[in-house]
Amino acid sequence: MPTTPPERMPLPEREPHQARQLAESFGSDPERYDRTRPRYPEAMVEAIAAASPGPDVVDVGIGTGIAARQFQAAGCRVLGVEVDARMAEWARRRGHQVEVAAFETWDPAGRTFDAIVSGQTWHWVDPVTGAAKAARVLRPGGRLAVFWNAAQAPPEVAAASFEVYRRMMPDLLGAQGASGSDGYPALCARAADGIRGTGAFGDPEQWLFDWERPYTRDEWLDQIPTSALYSQLLPAQREEVLTGIGAAIDAFGGGFTMRYTTVVVTATRTGAT
């Protein structure tokens, strides 16, 4: 696909959560991030809200507030925790309450919550330490729900786009396939293992929500600079990525429909300590 999932980022010897500099790369252009990044299915937001015992929600990695706005619209009160001060400031200017910290070291100051959510962010959190922190912060019966938008472009666009990246980063991408969704099972398994390891949650569940979004050439090219992989390229390489992917979309007719599956890993906080 035109972007690469977290499993394909340049982390050959480290887990994603150990690459904090990548996690903090998104704040360079928060306006673009907020404008171009896909939202989440309303059905998912409603399901998480309905499965939580109350309206008090912590959004881990709130970013610009994309998911937070959706949960607020569903009647939740949302507190953001964000590692990137630039993102946090942008969200605050739009009315969100945000505290700047890595979730693992964030001080809840004795507060407890009904739900902890994390959209497109939990892979930047240590899955063991993060789940343990969530267990301490959630009320009994509270819900932890972490989720990602796994995308799959049409095969022709995906293959052509992958080749653009492969030419510039052969060591990183040369041995991997072009599918945009194949990295997410590993992320989900890592999140579920971390949750199980706390002994404080019920069995993790996986919820799937399928949806689609059409993109014009310009709309998709506008989103590409918000990816962590793109941020690791040199300026000339960035231009080549946009030119090459733009040509691939032009050859496909000037636009395409992206198929998304929003994948949720979720569990309920038990009464265990």
mmCIF file with all atom_site columns, all heavy atoms in Angstrom, residues 143-144 191-193 195-207 265-270:
data_model
loop_
_atom_site.group_PDB
_atom_site.id
_atom_site.type_symbol
_atom_site.label_atom_id
_atom_site.label_alt_id
_atom_site.label_comp_id
_atom_site.label_asym_id
_atom_site.label_entity_id
_atom_site.label_seq_id
_atom_site.pdbx_PDB_ins_code
_atom_site.Cartn_x
_atom_site.Cartn_y
_atom_site.Cartn_z
_atom_site.occupancy
_atom_site.B_iso_or_equiv
_atom_site.pdbx_formal_charge
_atom_site.auth_seq_id
_atom_site.auth_comp_id
_atom_site.auth_asym_id
_atom_site.auth_atom_id
_atom_site.pdbx_PDB_model_num
ATOM 1   N N   . ARG A 1 143 ? -12.784 -0.478  30.891 1.00 0.00 ? 143 ARG A N   1
ATOM 2   C CA  . ARG A 1 143 ? -12.404 -1.123  29.635 1.00 0.00 ? 143 ARG A CA  1
ATOM 3   C C   . ARG A 1 143 ? -11.146 -0.496  29.039 1.00 0.00 ? 143 ARG A C   1
ATOM 4   O O   . ARG A 1 143 ? -11.026 0.719   28.955 1.00 0.00 ? 143 ARG A O   1
ATOM 5   C CB  . ARG A 1 143 ? -13.537 -1.022  28.613 1.00 0.00 ? 143 ARG A CB  1
ATOM 6   C CG  . ARG A 1 143 ? -13.219 -1.673  27.252 1.00 0.00 ? 143 ARG A CG  1
ATOM 7   C CD  . ARG A 1 143 ? -14.469 -1.970  26.486 1.00 0.00 ? 143 ARG A CD  1
ATOM 8   N NE  . ARG A 1 143 ? -15.253 -2.998  27.158 1.00 0.00 ? 143 ARG A NE  1
ATOM 9   C CZ  . ARG A 1 143 ? -15.074 -4.308  27.012 1.00 0.00 ? 143 ARG A CZ  1
ATOM 10  N NH1 . ARG A 1 143 ? -14.110 -4.762  26.204 1.00 0.00 ? 143 ARG A NH1 1
ATOM 11  N NH2 . ARG A 1 143 ? -15.829 -5.167  27.656 1.00 0.00 ? 143 ARG A NH2 1
ATOM 12  N N   . LEU A 1 144 ? -10.211 -1.359  28.657 1.00 0.00 ? 144 LEU A N   1
ATOM 13  C CA  . LEU A 1 144 ? -9.060  -0.967  27.860 1.00 0.00 ? 144 LEU A CA  1
ATOM 14  C C   . LEU A 1 144 ? -9.350  -1.349  26.418 1.00 0.00 ? 144 LEU A C   1
ATOM 15  O O   . LEU A 1 144 ? -9.714  -2.497  26.136 1.00 0.00 ? 144 LEU A O   1
ATOM 16  C CB  . LEU A 1 144 ? -7.798  -1.678  28.354 1.00 0.00 ? 144 LEU A CB  1
ATOM 17  C CG  . LEU A 1 144 ? -6.522  -1.481  27.517 1.00 0.00 ? 144 LEU A CG  1
ATOM 18  C CD1 . LEU A 1 144 ? -6.126  -0.018  27.435 1.00 0.00 ? 144 LEU A CD1 1
ATOM 19  C CD2 . LEU A 1 144 ? -5.381  -2.330  28.071 1.00 0.00 ? 144 LEU A CD2 1
ATOM 20  N N   . ALA A 1 191 ? -0.215  -6.617  22.022 1.00 0.00 ? 191 ALA A N   1
ATOM 21  C CA  . ALA A 1 191 ? -1.110  -5.918  22.951 1.00 0.00 ? 191 ALA A CA  1
ATOM 22  C C   . ALA A 1 191 ? -1.860  -6.917  23.829 1.00 0.00 ? 191 ALA A C   1
ATOM 23  O O   . ALA A 1 191 ? -1.968  -6.729  25.052 1.00 0.00 ? 191 ALA A O   1
ATOM 24  C CB  . ALA A 1 191 ? -2.089  -5.048  22.177 1.00 0.00 ? 191 ALA A CB  1
ATOM 25  N N   . ALA A 1 192 ? -2.370  -7.990  23.228 1.00 0.00 ? 192 ALA A N   1
ATOM 26  C CA  . ALA A 1 192 ? -3.123  -8.982  23.996 1.00 0.00 ? 192 ALA A CA  1
ATOM 27  C C   . ALA A 1 192 ? -2.234  -9.680  25.022 1.00 0.00 ? 192 ALA A C   1
ATOM 28  O O   . ALA A 1 192 ? -2.658  -9.921  26.164 1.00 0.00 ? 192 ALA A O   1
ATOM 29  C CB  . ALA A 1 192 ? -3.756  -10.002 23.053 1.00 0.00 ? 192 ALA A CB  1
ATOM 30  N N   . ASP A 1 193 ? -1.001  -9.996  24.642 1.00 0.00 ? 193 ASP A N   1
ATOM 31  C CA  . ASP A 1 193 ? -0.088  -10.639 25.593 1.00 0.00 ? 193 ASP A CA  1
ATOM 32  C C   . ASP A 1 193 ? 0.201   -9.727  26.776 1.00 0.00 ? 193 ASP A C   1
ATOM 33  O O   . ASP A 1 193 ? 0.276   -10.180 27.927 1.00 0.00 ? 193 ASP A O   1
ATOM 34  C CB  . ASP A 1 193 ? 1.218   -11.008 24.888 1.00 0.00 ? 193 ASP A CB  1
ATOM 35  C CG  . ASP A 1 193 ? 1.064   -12.191 23.944 1.00 0.00 ? 193 ASP A CG  1
ATOM 36  O OD1 . ASP A 1 193 ? 0.038   -12.898 24.034 1.00 0.00 ? 193 ASP A OD1 1
ATOM 37  O OD2 . ASP A 1 193 ? 1.965   -12.386 23.104 1.00 0.00 ? 193 ASP A OD2 1
ATOM 38  N N   . ILE A 1 195 ? -1.752  -7.430  27.993 1.00 0.00 ? 195 ILE A N   1
ATOM 39  C CA  . ILE A 1 195 ? -2.964  -7.387  28.823 1.00 0.00 ? 195 ILE A CA  1
ATOM 40  C C   . ILE A 1 195 ? -3.070  -8.644  29.680 1.00 0.00 ? 195 ILE A C   1
ATOM 41  O O   . ILE A 1 195 ? -3.334  -8.574  30.884 1.00 0.00 ? 195 ILE A O   1
ATOM 42  C CB  . ILE A 1 195 ? -4.203  -7.216  27.916 1.00 0.00 ? 195 ILE A CB  1
ATOM 43  C CG1 . ILE A 1 195 ? -4.208  -5.817  27.280 1.00 0.00 ? 195 ILE A CG1 1
ATOM 44  C CG2 . ILE A 1 195 ? -5.485  -7.451  28.705 1.00 0.00 ? 195 ILE A CG2 1
ATOM 45  C CD1 . ILE A 1 195 ? -5.231  -5.645  26.172 1.00 0.00 ? 195 ILE A CD1 1
ATOM 46  N N   . ARG A 1 196 ? -2.860  -9.800  29.070 1.00 0.00 ? 196 ARG A N   1
ATOM 47  C CA  . ARG A 1 196 ? -2.946  -11.059 29.828 1.00 0.00 ? 196 ARG A CA  1
ATOM 48  C C   . ARG A 1 196 ? -1.913  -11.079 30.951 1.00 0.00 ? 196 ARG A C   1
ATOM 49  O O   . ARG A 1 196 ? -2.170  -11.607 32.046 1.00 0.00 ? 196 ARG A O   1
ATOM 50  C CB  . ARG A 1 196 ? -2.719  -12.250 28.903 1.00 0.00 ? 196 ARG A CB  1
ATOM 51  C CG  . ARG A 1 196 ? -3.827  -12.503 27.900 1.00 0.00 ? 196 ARG A CG  1
ATOM 52  C CD  . ARG A 1 196 ? -3.597  -13.818 27.171 1.00 0.00 ? 196 ARG A CD  1
ATOM 53  N NE  . ARG A 1 196 ? -4.510  -13.956 26.046 1.00 0.00 ? 196 ARG A NE  1
ATOM 54  C CZ  . ARG A 1 196 ? -4.192  -13.655 24.790 1.00 0.00 ? 196 ARG A CZ  1
ATOM 55  N NH1 . ARG A 1 196 ? -2.970  -13.225 24.498 1.00 0.00 ? 196 ARG A NH1 1
ATOM 56  N NH2 . ARG A 1 196 ? -5.077  -13.790 23.822 1.00 0.00 ? 196 ARG A NH2 1
ATOM 57  N N   . GLY A 1 197 ? -0.736  -10.539 30.675 1.00 0.00 ? 197 GLY A N   1
ATOM 58  C CA  . GLY A 1 197 ? 0.339   -10.612 31.642 1.00 0.00 ? 197 GLY A CA  1
ATOM 59  C C   . GLY A 1 197 ? 0.076   -9.867  32.935 1.00 0.00 ? 197 GLY A C   1
ATOM 60  O O   . GLY A 1 197 ? 0.711   -10.150 33.951 1.00 0.00 ? 197 GLY A O   1
ATOM 61  N N   . THR A 1 198 ? -0.861  -8.934  32.934 1.00 0.00 ? 198 THR A N   1
ATOM 62  C CA  . THR A 1 198 ? -1.153  -8.207  34.165 1.00 0.00 ? 198 THR A CA  1
ATOM 63  C C   . THR A 1 198 ? -1.932  -9.037  35.167 1.00 0.00 ? 198 THR A C   1
ATOM 64  O O   . THR A 1 198 ? -1.869  -8.786  36.378 1.00 0.00 ? 198 THR A O   1
ATOM 65  C CB  . THR A 1 198 ? -1.985  -6.944  33.863 1.00 0.00 ? 198 THR A CB  1
ATOM 66  O OG1 . THR A 1 198 ? -3.294  -7.330  33.384 1.00 0.00 ? 198 THR A OG1 1
ATOM 67  C CG2 . THR A 1 198 ? -1.285  -6.059  32.840 1.00 0.00 ? 198 THR A CG2 1
ATOM 68  N N   . GLY A 1 199 ? -2.700  -10.010 34.693 1.00 0.00 ? 199 GLY A N   1
ATOM 69  C CA  . GLY A 1 199 ? -3.591  -10.768 35.571 1.00 0.00 ? 199 GLY A CA  1
ATOM 70  C C   . GLY A 1 199 ? -4.741  -9.938  36.111 1.00 0.00 ? 199 GLY A C   1
ATOM 71  O O   . GLY A 1 199 ? -5.437  -10.377 37.029 1.00 0.00 ? 199 GLY A O   1
ATOM 72  N N   . ALA A 1 200 ? -4.949  -8.745  35.535 1.00 0.00 ? 200 ALA A N   1
ATOM 73  C CA  . ALA A 1 200 ? -5.954  -7.821  36.056 1.00 0.00 ? 200 ALA A CA  1
ATOM 74  C C   . ALA A 1 200 ? -7.118  -7.613  35.105 1.00 0.00 ? 200 ALA A C   1
ATOM 75  O O   . ALA A 1 200 ? -8.027  -6.826  35.395 1.00 0.00 ? 200 ALA A O   1
ATOM 76  C CB  . ALA A 1 200 ? -5.310  -6.469  36.368 1.00 0.00 ? 200 ALA A CB  1
ATOM 77  N N   . PHE A 1 201 ? -7.107  -8.318  33.969 1.00 0.00 ? 201 PHE A N   1
ATOM 78  C CA  . PHE A 1 201 ? -8.155  -8.163  32.966 1.00 0.00 ? 201 PHE A CA  1
ATOM 79  C C   . PHE A 1 201 ? -8.774  -9.520  32.641 1.00 0.00 ? 201 PHE A C   1
ATOM 80  O O   . PHE A 1 201 ? -8.152  -10.572 32.825 1.00 0.00 ? 201 PHE A O   1
ATOM 81  C CB  . PHE A 1 201 ? -7.588  -7.564  31.674 1.00 0.00 ? 201 PHE A CB  1
ATOM 82  C CG  . PHE A 1 201 ? -7.165  -6.127  31.783 1.00 0.00 ? 201 PHE A CG  1
ATOM 83  C CD1 . PHE A 1 201 ? -5.857  -5.795  32.139 1.00 0.00 ? 201 PHE A CD1 1
ATOM 84  C CD2 . PHE A 1 201 ? -8.059  -5.103  31.522 1.00 0.00 ? 201 PHE A CD2 1
ATOM 85  C CE1 . PHE A 1 201 ? -5.457  -4.470  32.232 1.00 0.00 ? 201 PHE A CE1 1
ATOM 86  C CE2 . PHE A 1 201 ? -7.674  -3.779  31.615 1.00 0.00 ? 201 PHE A CE2 1
ATOM 87  C CZ  . PHE A 1 201 ? -6.378  -3.448  31.969 1.00 0.00 ? 201 PHE A CZ  1
ATOM 88  N N   . GLY A 1 202 ? -9.989  -9.462  32.120 1.00 0.00 ? 202 GLY A N   1
ATOM 89  C CA  . GLY A 1 202 ? -10.569 -10.646 31.514 1.00 0.00 ? 202 GLY A CA  1
ATOM 90  C C   . GLY A 1 202 ? -9.853  -10.962 30.214 1.00 0.00 ? 202 GLY A C   1
ATOM 91  O O   . GLY A 1 202 ? -8.938  -10.245 29.786 1.00 0.00 ? 202 GLY A O   1
ATOM 92  N N   . ASP A 1 203 ? -10.257 -12.044 29.573 1.00 0.00 ? 203 ASP A N   1
ATOM 93  C CA  . ASP A 1 203 ? -9.608  -12.446 28.325 1.00 0.00 ? 203 ASP A CA  1
ATOM 94  C C   . ASP A 1 203 ? -9.743  -11.347 27.273 1.00 0.00 ? 203 ASP A C   1
ATOM 95  O O   . ASP A 1 203 ? -10.841 -10.829 27.042 1.00 0.00 ? 203 ASP A O   1
ATOM 96  C CB  . ASP A 1 203 ? -10.247 -13.723 27.787 1.00 0.00 ? 203 ASP A CB  1
ATOM 97  C CG  . ASP A 1 203 ? -9.893  -14.948 28.616 1.00 0.00 ? 203 ASP A CG  1
ATOM 98  O OD1 . ASP A 1 203 ? -8.868  -14.903 29.325 1.00 0.00 ? 203 ASP A OD1 1
ATOM 99  O OD2 . ASP A 1 203 ? -10.648 -15.930 28.557 1.00 0.00 ? 203 ASP A OD2 1
ATOM 100 N N   . PRO A 1 204 ? -8.646  -10.966 26.623 1.00 0.00 ? 204 PRO A N   1
ATOM 101 C CA  . PRO A 1 204 ? -8.734  -9.954  25.561 1.00 0.00 ? 204 PRO A CA  1
ATOM 102 C C   . PRO A 1 204 ? -9.588  -10.451 24.400 1.00 0.00 ? 204 PRO A C   1
ATOM 103 O O   . PRO A 1 204 ? -9.567  -11.636 24.046 1.00 0.00 ? 204 PRO A O   1
ATOM 104 C CB  . PRO A 1 204 ? -7.277  -9.760  25.133 1.00 0.00 ? 204 PRO A CB  1
ATOM 105 C CG  . PRO A 1 204 ? -6.460  -10.276 26.265 1.00 0.00 ? 204 PRO A CG  1
ATOM 106 C CD  . PRO A 1 204 ? -7.258  -11.387 26.871 1.00 0.00 ? 204 PRO A CD  1
ATOM 107 N N   . GLU A 1 205 ? -10.343 -9.544  23.835 1.00 0.00 ? 205 GLU A N   1
ATOM 108 C CA  . GLU A 1 205 ? -11.151 -9.819  22.651 1.00 0.00 ? 205 GLU A CA  1
ATOM 109 C C   . GLU A 1 205 ? -10.632 -8.985  21.491 1.00 0.00 ? 205 GLU A C   1
ATOM 110 O O   . GLU A 1 205 ? -10.003 -7.954  21.694 1.00 0.00 ? 205 GLU A O   1
ATOM 111 C CB  . GLU A 1 205 ? -12.616 -9.459  22.907 1.00 0.00 ? 205 GLU A CB  1
ATOM 112 C CG  . GLU A 1 205 ? -13.260 -10.177 24.081 1.00 0.00 ? 205 GLU A CG  1
ATOM 113 C CD  . GLU A 1 205 ? -14.668 -9.670  24.349 1.00 0.00 ? 205 GLU A CD  1
ATOM 114 O OE1 . GLU A 1 205 ? -15.193 -8.902  23.505 1.00 0.00 ? 205 GLU A OE1 1
ATOM 115 O OE2 . GLU A 1 205 ? -15.231 -10.023 25.391 1.00 0.00 ? 205 GLU A OE2 1
ATOM 116 N N   . GLN A 1 206 ? -10.928 -9.440  20.283 1.00 0.00 ? 206 GLN A N   1
ATOM 117 C CA  . GLN A 1 206 ? -10.607 -8.665  19.097 1.00 0.00 ? 206 GLN A CA  1
ATOM 118 C C   . GLN A 1 206 ? -11.895 -8.352  18.348 1.00 0.00 ? 206 GLN A C   1
ATOM 119 O O   . GLN A 1 206 ? -12.669 -9.243  18.013 1.00 0.00 ? 206 GLN A O   1
ATOM 120 C CB  . GLN A 1 206 ? -9.638  -9.417  18.190 1.00 0.00 ? 206 GLN A CB  1
ATOM 121 C CG  . GLN A 1 206 ? -9.126  -8.575  17.023 1.00 0.00 ? 206 GLN A CG  1
ATOM 122 C CD  . GLN A 1 206 ? -8.050  -9.286  16.237 1.00 0.00 ? 206 GLN A CD  1
ATOM 123 O OE1 . GLN A 1 206 ? -8.246  -9.695  15.079 1.00 0.00 ? 206 GLN A OE1 1
ATOM 124 N NE2 . GLN A 1 206 ? -6.886  -9.426  16.842 1.00 0.00 ? 206 GLN A NE2 1
ATOM 125 N N   . TRP A 1 207 ? -12.120 -7.077  18.119 1.00 0.00 ? 207 TRP A N   1
ATOM 126 C CA  . TRP A 1 207 ? -13.280 -6.614  17.362 1.00 0.00 ? 207 TRP A CA  1
ATOM 127 C C   . TRP A 1 207 ? -12.802 -6.065  16.028 1.00 0.00 ? 207 TRP A C   1
ATOM 128 O O   . TRP A 1 207 ? -11.784 -5.371  15.960 1.00 0.00 ? 207 TRP A O   1
ATOM 129 C CB  . TRP A 1 207 ? -14.025 -5.520  18.118 1.00 0.00 ? 207 TRP A CB  1
ATOM 130 C CG  . TRP A 1 207 ? -14.553 -5.899  19.465 1.00 0.00 ? 207 TRP A CG  1
ATOM 131 C CD1 . TRP A 1 207 ? -14.649 -7.160  19.991 1.00 0.00 ? 207 TRP A CD1 1
ATOM 132 C CD2 . TRP A 1 207 ? -15.056 -5.004  20.467 1.00 0.00 ? 207 TRP A CD2 1
ATOM 133 N NE1 . TRP A 1 207 ? -15.178 -7.102  21.256 1.00 0.00 ? 207 TRP A NE1 1
ATOM 134 C CE2 . TRP A 1 207 ? -15.444 -5.798  21.582 1.00 0.00 ? 207 TRP A CE2 1
ATOM 135 C CE3 . TRP A 1 207 ? -15.211 -3.618  20.545 1.00 0.00 ? 207 TRP A CE3 1
ATOM 136 C CZ2 . TRP A 1 207 ? -15.977 -5.231  22.737 1.00 0.00 ? 207 TRP A CZ2 1
ATOM 137 C CZ3 . TRP A 1 207 ? -15.736 -3.050  21.698 1.00 0.00 ? 207 TRP A CZ3 1
ATOM 138 C CH2 . TRP A 1 207 ? -16.132 -3.849  22.777 1.00 0.00 ? 207 TRP A CH2 1
ATOM 139 N N   . VAL A 1 265 ? -8.269  -4.359  20.044 1.00 0.00 ? 265 VAL A N   1
ATOM 140 C CA  . VAL A 1 265 ? -7.961  -5.318  21.101 1.00 0.00 ? 265 VAL A CA  1
ATOM 141 C C   . VAL A 1 265 ? -8.499  -4.715  22.395 1.00 0.00 ? 265 VAL A C   1
ATOM 142 O O   . VAL A 1 265 ? -8.134  -3.596  22.762 1.00 0.00 ? 265 VAL A O   1
ATOM 143 C CB  . VAL A 1 265 ? -6.449  -5.582  21.221 1.00 0.00 ? 265 VAL A CB  1
ATOM 144 C CG1 . VAL A 1 265 ? -6.148  -6.530  22.383 1.00 0.00 ? 265 VAL A CG1 1
ATOM 145 C CG2 . VAL A 1 265 ? -5.911  -6.154  19.903 1.00 0.00 ? 265 VAL A CG2 1
ATOM 146 N N   . THR A 1 266 ? -9.373  -5.443  23.075 1.00 0.00 ? 266 THR A N   1
ATOM 147 C CA  . THR A 1 266 ? -10.059 -4.857  24.223 1.00 0.00 ? 266 THR A CA  1
ATOM 148 C C   . THR A 1 266 ? -10.267 -5.891  25.315 1.00 0.00 ? 266 THR A C   1
ATOM 149 O O   . THR A 1 266 ? -10.371 -7.091  25.047 1.00 0.00 ? 266 THR A O   1
ATOM 150 C CB  . THR A 1 266 ? -11.415 -4.262  23.784 1.00 0.00 ? 266 THR A CB  1
ATOM 151 O OG1 . THR A 1 266 ? -12.043 -3.616  24.903 1.00 0.00 ? 266 THR A OG1 1
ATOM 152 C CG2 . THR A 1 266 ? -12.336 -5.301  23.192 1.00 0.00 ? 266 THR A CG2 1
ATOM 153 N N   . ALA A 1 267 ? -10.293 -5.417  26.550 1.00 0.00 ? 267 ALA A N   1
ATOM 154 C CA  . ALA A 1 267 ? -10.500 -6.291  27.709 1.00 0.00 ? 267 ALA A CA  1
ATOM 155 C C   . ALA A 1 267 ? -11.087 -5.478  28.842 1.00 0.00 ? 267 ALA A C   1
ATOM 156 O O   . ALA A 1 267 ? -10.934 -4.250  28.912 1.00 0.00 ? 267 ALA A O   1
ATOM 157 C CB  . ALA A 1 267 ? -9.193  -6.941  28.144 1.00 0.00 ? 267 ALA A CB  1
ATOM 158 N N   . THR A 1 268 ? -11.754 -6.171  29.751 1.00 0.00 ? 268 THR A N   1
ATOM 159 C CA  . THR A 1 268 ? -12.399 -5.537  30.895 1.00 0.00 ? 268 THR A CA  1
ATOM 160 C C   . THR A 1 268 ? -11.552 -5.719  32.154 1.00 0.00 ? 268 THR A C   1
ATOM 161 O O   . THR A 1 268 ? -11.073 -6.817  32.435 1.00 0.00 ? 268 THR A O   1
ATOM 162 C CB  . THR A 1 268 ? -13.797 -6.139  31.127 1.00 0.00 ? 268 THR A CB  1
ATOM 163 O OG1 . THR A 1 268 ? -14.584 -5.944  29.947 1.00 0.00 ? 268 THR A OG1 1
ATOM 164 C CG2 . THR A 1 268 ? -14.499 -5.474  32.301 1.00 0.00 ? 268 THR A CG2 1
ATOM 165 N N   . ARG A 1 269 ? -11.389 -4.640  32.872 1.00 0.00 ? 269 ARG A N   1
ATOM 166 C CA  . ARG A 1 269 ? -10.675 -4.676  34.158 1.00 0.00 ? 269 ARG A CA  1
ATOM 167 C C   . ARG A 1 269 ? -11.483 -5.466  35.175 1.00 0.00 ? 269 ARG A C   1
ATOM 168 O O   . ARG A 1 269 ? -12.654 -5.179  35.402 1.00 0.00 ? 269 ARG A O   1
ATOM 169 C CB  . ARG A 1 269 ? -10.451 -3.241  34.665 1.00 0.00 ? 269 ARG A CB  1
ATOM 170 C CG  . ARG A 1 269 ? -9.807  -3.119  36.049 1.00 0.00 ? 269 ARG A CG  1
ATOM 171 C CD  . ARG A 1 269 ? -8.336  -3.526  35.999 1.00 0.00 ? 269 ARG A CD  1
ATOM 172 N NE  . ARG A 1 269 ? -7.626  -3.046  37.175 1.00 0.00 ? 269 ARG A NE  1
ATOM 173 C CZ  . ARG A 1 269 ? -7.508  -3.740  38.316 1.00 0.00 ? 269 ARG A CZ  1
ATOM 174 N NH1 . ARG A 1 269 ? -8.093  -4.917  38.453 1.00 0.00 ? 269 ARG A NH1 1
ATOM 175 N NH2 . ARG A 1 269 ? -6.823  -3.237  39.314 1.00 0.00 ? 269 ARG A NH2 1
ATOM 176 N N   . THR A 1 270 ? -10.869 -6.479  35.754 1.00 0.00 ? 270 THR A N   1
ATOM 177 C CA  . THR A 1 270 ? -11.551 -7.273  36.779 1.00 0.00 ? 270 THR A CA  1
ATOM 178 C C   . THR A 1 270 ? -11.324 -6.634  38.140 1.00 0.00 ? 270 THR A C   1
ATOM 179 O O   . THR A 1 270 ? -10.675 -5.606  38.270 1.00 0.00 ? 270 THR A O   1
ATOM 180 C CB  . THR A 1 270 ? -11.021 -8.720  36.774 1.00 0.00 ? 270 THR A CB  1
ATOM 181 O OG1 . THR A 1 270 ? -9.645  -8.696  37.179 1.00 0.00 ? 270 THR A OG1 1
ATOM 182 C CG2 . THR A 1 270 ? -11.135 -9.345  35.396 1.00 0.00 ? 270 THR A CG2 1
#
